[in-house]
Amino acid sequence: MFFYLNNKDTKMQYEIKQLTNTQESEKVLFMTYPIYQRAIRSDANKFILFAAFKDNQAIGLAVYIIHKNETVELMSIFTEKSHRNKSVARSIIKDSTIQLKKDGIKQIKIVYMDDKPYTNTLENMMNEFNFEAEIPRQSIIKLSIESFEAKAKFARKLIGIPEDFSLGLWRDVKEKDIEILNQDNEKTNWIPEQLYPLNYAKNNCEQYSTAIYHKNELVGWMIMHMIANDTIRFTCSYVKDEYQYLNFIIRVYQSIKEELIKNGINYISWTTPFVYKPMVNFNQKWMSKYCVYEGISKERNLYI
């Protein structure tokens, strides 16, 4: 397919193409984030790529990941600098939407931050394509360990693990522990769907990701990922309702903080789904003053 744009006195011609083989994809991966480059190289079948070409040179790229229920999520979209503000990204989205619908996809999801330089442009584009209204998705904070250690007096009281509890590495959790966890959850439904640990275990930071036990029963977890050389993310943290008053997130942090600092990890990113309002309120009440960054991720959907 070819699109023709008239931009003042310059007439541009470019082609939007779905990339269907590894050789084609490899040539354009420089236009997405390293984390997606690695993921695509590892398992290309989970992704759908559309690129824009001018004179056989790639000038734009959209990366979708395939989810269940005939849904894809736009993970990144990029236009080469000299071709920005010429509707290249809009044309990629328009053409890819047509093709995805032909392929049986019924929903396109976009998750984005509310405070980035690209936010207004992205929101305008979603409005143009009639995406549904935004849904607040996650509260995201970034803490300075140095500031937290100097100022967070309340955390100094939360050192050590209460009696009958113990911590272990998530990588050492046994299959039997997971079986018992699943059986217990089937009976009592105590694990929120968005916080099921195995959904976040892939590529987790095995050195720090933590399992929480009560009398040898798995009752909580903190799954962590390195997102920069100096930043670790507490991606998924949860403990059974009856033990939440013990503030295990802070206690686990206290147990690893010296090793984090020793290894040059000076920041902690902390994500909290908005559906868990008490946890969001905890962040706002107790953690905001120690943050170097606070933001909100939002979700919008297009049904096609």
Side-chain angles (χ1 to χ4, degrees):
M1 293 184 187
F2 288 86
F3 291 83
Y4 298 89
L5 296 181
N6 287 290
N7 298 289
K8 296 182 180 180
D9 296 329
T10 304
K11 187 173 183 179
M12 293 191 59
Q13 177 184 325
Y14 57 92
E15 179 186 13
I16 308 296
K17 182 179 181 182
Q18 181 177 353
L19 307 182
T20 56
N21 64 62
T22 303
Q23 187 175 4
E24 288 181 322
S25 300
E26 189 64 36
K27 294 178 181 179
V28 302
L29 288 185
F30 69 93
M31 291 189 289
T32 191
Y33 299 106
I35 188 172
Y36 300 139
Q37 294 176 21
R38 293 191 294 270
I40 292 166
R41 289 178 179 129
S42 174
D43 193 350
N45 291 330
K46 290 184 177 180
F47 296 88
I48 303 173
L49 278 62
F50 288 86
F53 294 87
K54 182 178 186 296
D55 299 331
N56 294 320
Q57 295 295 316
I59 61 172
L61 176 68
V63 176
Y64 295 91
I65 189 169
I66 302 169
H67 292 314
K68 298 177 181 178
N69 302 321
E70 299 169 320
T71 299
V72 296
E73 180 177 348
L74 180 65
M75 304 304 292
S76 74
I77 186 161
F78 175 88
T79 303
E80 197 274 330
K81 190 173 182 179
S82 64
H83 294 276
R84 291 174 188 169
N85 300 314
K86 298 175 181 178
S87 296
V88 175
R90 281 177 169 80
S91 294
I92 296 175
I93 296 300
K94 179 180 178 181
D95 191 59
S96 62
T97 299
I98 294 170
Q99 185 60 48
L100 290 169
K101 184 176 182 178
K102 289 180 180 178
D103 293 340
I105 297 299
K106 295 182 179 179
Q107 179 182 352
I108 297 174
K109 175 191 299 185
I110 297 181
V111 177
Y112 63 101
M113 296 302 299
D114 68 340
D115 60 351
K116 298 298 183 183
Y118 59 75
T119 299
N120 287 339
T121 300
L122 181 61
E123 288 184 331
N124 288 337
M125 184 177 70
M126 288 188 286
N127 291 338
E128 181 180 326
F129 287 100
N130 297 314
F131 275 71
E132 300 285 312
E134 64 188 38
I135 303 169
R137 183 181 170 98
Q138 289 185 323
S139 166
I140 300 171
I141 62 176
K142 184 176 180 180
L143 301 175
S144 161
I145 293 179
E146 180 181 8
S147 176
F148 188 71
E149 287 297 301
K151 300 176 183 178
K153 295 181 180 180
F154 80 94
R156 298 170 193 170
K157 302 175 184 179
L158 299 173
I159 297 176
I161 305 303
E163 188 176 357
D164 293 331
F165 289 87
S166 61
L167 303 180
L169 291 175
W170 181 260
R171 68 187 180 198
D172 296 330
V173 172
K174 297 179 174 58
E175 288 187 14
K176 184 177 180 181
D177 294 325
I178 298 298
E179 289 178 8
I180 294 172
L181 179 77
N182 290 336
Q183 291 170 2
D184 186 28
N185 188 51
E186 286 179 6
K187 295 177 183 178
T188 61
N189 197 33
W190 67 272
I191 305 174
E193 183 178 355
Q194 288 183 304
L195 296 175
Y196 183 68
L198 295 188
N199 292 343
Y200 303 91
K202 187 174 181 179
N203 299 321
N204 78 89
C205 184
E206 294 187 346
Q207 186 176 355
Y208 300 114
S209 291
T210 301
I212 302 167
Y213 297 91
H214 179 250
K215 296 181 178 179
N216 297 319
E217 177 189 355
L218 181 63
V219 297
W221 46 84
M222 283 183 63
I223 308 299
M224 310 179 203
H225 294 83
M226 292 298 302
I227 58 174
N229 290 335
D230 63 353
T231 305
I232 193 167
R233 182 179 66 204
F234 292 177
T235 306
C236 178
S237 306
Y238 197 69
V239 67
K240 267 190 170 182
D241 288 348
E242 58 262 42
Y243 307 131
Q244 289 183 9
Y245 74 97
L246 294 170
N247 293 302
F248 269 102
I249 291 178
I250 301 299
R251 293 180 187 275
V252 171
Y253 157 78
Q254 295 283 20
S255 73
I256 65 173
K257 67 180 181 184
E258 291 184 4
E259 191 172 353
L260 292 176
I261 295 169
K262 179 181 177 181
N263 290 329
I265 301 171
N266 301 313
Y267 299 98
I268 296 171
S269 177
W270 193 334
T271 60
T272 306
F274 257 86
V275 293
Y276 307 112
K277 199 63 178 177
M279 298 169 68
V280 174
N281 291 340
F282 175 85
N283 288 348
Q284 293 173 343
K285 181 177 180 180
W286 295 105
M287 311 305 287
S288 290
K289 64 186 75 175
Y290 315 114
C291 290
V292 295
Y293 172 79
E294 291 182 84
I296 296 172
S297 69
K298 299 178 179 180
E299 176 183 325
R300 293 184 69 175
N301 292 282
L302 176 66
Y303 298 93
I304 57 178

